Amino acid sequence: MDSGWALEVMHKAPYITVSFIDADGKAYGLPLSLASDDDVHWYFHGALEGKKLEAIAVHPEVCLSAVTKCSPTVGPKDGSFTLQYKSAIAFGKAEIVENEEEKIHGLRIICERFLPKHMEAFDASIARSLGRTAVVRITLSEPPTGKRKQYDKEGDELKYGRMETI
C-alpha cells in the first residue's frame, strides 16, 4: 500500500513498536506512544536515562512498525485460518531533543493525540515535569509503506488497488 495509506495506519495505531539496536548489537523493540503533526517527525517521551536513550546514542537508526484492525478470522470463502490486519513500516533516525521549545512541541502533539480532552492541564504538567522528561524525535528517512489483509462484505480479499473500507 502507498505511503499515504501507511501514514493513516500509523496515526490510528494505539502504539507504534520502535526497534533499536543496542550497544552490543542486539535488537531492542518496544511499543511506544508516538505522535506527529507533519508525517515526517514522530515524537515519543520517556525518562532521562535508560536503554532506549543508550541505544540511540550508539545506533540512531530505528524501524517503526504499526498495526491496526488486527483480528483472527476464518477465510470467508475457503475456511482457512488467517488474520485480517492493516500494517505500516517506516525507517528513520532518532535524536534526543535538547531544545526546550521543541520538547514542549513534541509533548504537546503527543498529548493532543492521546489526551485531547485534558489539554487544559498541559501547561501545569509541563511546568512540573519538563526537566525530568526526555523527548525523542524520529525523522523518517523515507516514506512508510503498508500492507493489509482485509475482506469485503462478499468475502473477497481486498487486493491492492481496492480501497474500500470495511
Side-chain angles (χ1 to χ4, degrees), residues 13 25 27 30 54 63 73 79 86 98 102 104 122 124 130 138 149:
L30 65 160
E54 292 169 8
C63 177
T73 190
K86 294 180 178 185
E98 301 293 345
E102 186 180 1
I104 293 169
F122 180 79
L130 186 64
I138 298 173
K149 184 163 194 174

Side-chain angles (χ1 to χ4, degrees), residues 96-156:
I96 300 166
V97 176
E98 301 293 345
N99 175 281
E100 186 173 295
E101 187 176 313
E102 186 180 1
K103 280 180 74 170
I104 293 169
H105 172 74
L107 292 167
R108 182 178 305 281
I109 64 173
I110 292 167
C111 289
E112 286 172 346
R113 177 172 183 213
F114 294 99
L115 293 167
K117 294 179 181 175
H118 300 279
M119 291 307 294
E120 72 280 351
F122 180 79
D123 291 333
S125 180
I126 290 297
R128 282 192 312 274
S129 62
L130 186 64
R132 62 177 188 263
T133 304
V135 175
V136 175
R137 175 191 351 95
I138 298 173
T139 302
L140 299 188
S141 54
E142 57 192 72
T145 59
K147 288 183 70 173
R148 72 172 176 191
K149 184 163 194 174
Q150 299 282 295
Y151 294 96
D152 65 17
K153 293 176 182 164
E154 287 76 44
D156 293 319

Side-chain angles (χ1 to χ4, degrees), residues 12 18 24 41 59 65 74 80 88 104 107 120 139-140 154:
K12 289 182 178 179
V18 181
D24 297 327
H41 303 97
H59 296 286
S65 174
V74 176
S80 62
I104 293 169
L107 292 167
E120 72 280 351
T139 302
L140 299 188
E154 287 76 44

